[in-house]
Amino acid sequence: MTAIAISGAGGRMGRTVAAAVSDEPDLDLVATFDPAHVGDVVSGTTVAGDLAALDGADVVIEWAPVEAVLEHLPAHADAGRHVVVGSSGFTAERLLDVGEAWSDAEGRLLIVPNFAIGAVLMQRFAAEAARWFAAYEVVELHHDAKADAPSGTALATAVGMAGEQRRRVESEEYVAGSRGGDVDGVRIHSVRLPGLLAHQEVILGNPGEVLTIRHDSMDRSSFIPGVLVAVRGVAGLTDPVTVGLDALLR
């Protein structure tokens, strides 16, 4: 039995994950933490406001805002906890800082931009396709309450595709930002609208052909299979810090 704790348990995703963990016979939800929801009952646990409440956990699932996660990680490292992070907003600079800080930690840290199995496969397919296409761009679409742009999935996709595109499409911008952001030469466009949840298109072009790879999450339940893979596999990872679920799906 693996003891699981959830940080950020009071949010929609935290509550969804808590319910899913509680249904698994090999997982035991032992604690929940969220300073904004202290005293709430989530899947049979009373939400605590002190990070020390997570001390009995083998694995902590972090779904707090990224700024809070960055504050929590040193305590997790000192306690030797394994940690699975689902929070978005981990830039390349933040990943570098976390990697240096966690290098001597006893526990394993897994940062997952997207837990949907289809999204992981989309990134893998996009990286393979990029070798064969002259140019490519990423369009990500999320709900209007998402706090960051671009999404962690889009950033990870762009990094995975990065390389010298054979045809870098450049246009003069009459409206600043209309060509999107540039991540290692890959343009990313972010859409935020009510009614959306989490969606992404990777569009690749060659003379005379276009390939579109698209993934859509219509419900938060799409993330649960990946979360369960992560919490069951994080302790067996070789590196102190791993980014992406792909390492557990090979």
Side-chain angles (χ1 to χ4, degrees), residues 49-148:
D50 187 342
L51 206 61
L54 311 183
D55 283 348
D58 300 314
V59 178
V60 174
I61 305 171
E62 273 285 2
W63 228 294
V66 65
E67 293 80 8
V69 175
L70 292 170
E71 293 179 2
H72 300 163
L73 287 180
H76 295 327
D78 290 344
R81 302 169 184 137
H82 302 300
V83 181
V84 174
V85 177
S87 310
S88 191
F90 277 85
T91 61
E93 292 78 13
R94 282 172 170 167
L95 288 173
L96 183 62
D97 291 342
V98 168
E100 292 176 352
W102 200 272
S103 59
D104 295 326
E106 182 180 339
R108 293 292 180 257
L109 173 61
L110 175 61
I111 299 172
V112 183
N114 196 321
F115 284 99
I117 304 299
V120 176
L121 293 172
M122 171 192 63
Q123 292 176 59
R124 188 184 298 179
F125 298 157
E128 174 66 18
R131 299 170 50 212
W132 303 98
F133 278 80
Y136 30 86
E137 303 196 7
V138 177
V139 182
E140 58 96 348
L141 310 92
H142 282 80
H143 55 89
D144 57 339
K146 185 170 177 57
D148 57 309

Side-chain angles (χ1 to χ4, degrees), residues 67-240:
E67 293 80 8
V69 175
L70 292 170
E71 293 179 2
H72 300 163
L73 287 180
H76 295 327
D78 290 344
R81 302 169 184 137
H82 302 300
V83 181
V84 174
V85 177
S87 310
S88 191
F90 277 85
T91 61
E93 292 78 13
R94 282 172 170 167
L95 288 173
L96 183 62
D97 291 342
V98 168
E100 292 176 352
W102 200 272
S103 59
D104 295 326
E106 182 180 339
R108 293 292 180 257
L109 173 61
L110 175 61
I111 299 172
V112 183
N114 196 321
F115 284 99
I117 304 299
V120 176
L121 293 172
M122 171 192 63
Q123 292 176 59
R124 188 184 298 179
F125 298 157
E128 174 66 18
R131 299 170 50 212
W132 303 98
F133 278 80
Y136 30 86
E137 303 196 7
V138 177
V139 182
E140 58 96 348
L141 310 92
H142 282 80
H143 55 89
D144 57 339
K146 185 170 177 57
D148 57 309
S151 69
T153 304
L155 286 169
T157 303
V159 170
M161 299 174 72
E164 190 59 41
Q165 296 187 43
R166 296 193 299 280
R167 182 169 186 272
R168 288 283 303 279
V169 181
E170 299 295 345
S171 303
E172 182 181 356
E173 289 186 333
Y174 292 147
V175 177
S178 55
R179 285 288 294 122
D182 188 316
V183 177
D184 292 339
V186 181
R187 290 285 181 175
I188 299 180
H189 310 267
S190 297
V191 177
R192 299 289 178 267
L193 290 172
L196 297 170
L197 181 58
H199 318 262
Q200 182 169 291
E201 286 187 349
V202 181
I203 307 171
L204 306 98
N206 266 340
E209 66 171 338
V210 171
L211 171 64
T212 300
I213 305 170
R214 181 177 175 109
H215 178 262
D216 297 277
S217 283
M218 280 76 73
D219 188 87
R220 288 177 174 80
S221 61
S222 66
F223 306 128
I224 296 305
V227 171
L228 297 178
V229 167
V231 298
R232 290 180 174 127
V234 61
L237 291 170
T238 302
D239 296 328

Side-chain angles (χ1 to χ4, degrees), residues 4-74:
I4 306 295
I6 300 175
S7 170
R12 287 175 293 181
M13 198 62 219
R15 292 173 185 269
T16 300
V17 171
V21 167
S22 297
D23 287 341
E24 297 298 311
D26 62 323
L27 304 178
D28 183 19
L29 181 64
V30 297
T32 50
F33 165 78
D34 193 327
H37 295 271
V38 175
D40 287 6
V41 177
V42 174
S43 294
T45 68
T46 300
V47 177
D50 187 342
L51 206 61
L54 311 183
D55 283 348
D58 300 314
V59 178
V60 174
I61 305 171
E62 273 285 2
W63 228 294
V66 65
E67 293 80 8
V69 175
L70 292 170
E71 293 179 2
H72 300 163
L73 287 180

